[in-house]
Amino acid sequence: KNMKKFFKKIFVYLLEKITIHDVKEGLEFAKEFGYPVVFAPLFSLKGAGIAVACDDHQLIPLLKNALDLSPVHKVMIKKLEF
């Protein structure tokens, strides 16, 4: 029983983190998994562009910035759990 619970938790964890290429994909992710979300541009220096958003209003400008800071124009986004 504990192993089943463990693997379910790992599976959910893996599903709740993806690489996105545009704001539309970020909004779709947040709609599917819910807020808050944390995201970071891929290959940015010293954590530039890492942010947390709690709604669409916050997500859109922060995500645009993160995408601009990534030299490959990709962002890792994850559901933030407390």
Side-chain angles (χ1 to χ4, degrees):
K1 185 177 181 178
N2 286 338
M3 287 299 283
K4 185 177 180 181
K5 186 176 179 181
F6 171 76
F7 281 111
K8 183 177 180 184
K9 188 180 256 188
I10 293 296
F11 182 70
V12 169
Y13 173 78
L14 292 175
L15 285 178
E16 294 178 346
K17 178 173 63 171
I18 63 167
T19 300
I20 59 170
H21 305 88
D22 58 37
V23 174
K24 182 181 174 189
E25 289 178 331
L27 290 167
E28 290 169 357
F29 177 90
K31 183 177 180 179
E32 182 174 348
F33 292 103
Y35 285 100
V37 294
V38 60
F39 48 92
L42 296 182
F43 306 112
S44 68
L45 299 175
K46 298 184 180 182
I50 295 174
V52 174
C54 295
D55 58 34
D56 290 354
H57 182 72
Q58 291 178 339
L59 179 66
I60 293 169
L62 292 171
L63 193 50
K64 283 180 183 177
N65 182 57
L67 287 162
D68 288 341
L69 289 172
S70 170
V72 293
H73 206 67
K74 294 180 183 177
V75 171
M76 180 69 68
I77 187 168
K78 182 184 183 317
K79 169 85 169 104
L80 184 60
E81 300 287 341
F82 291 102

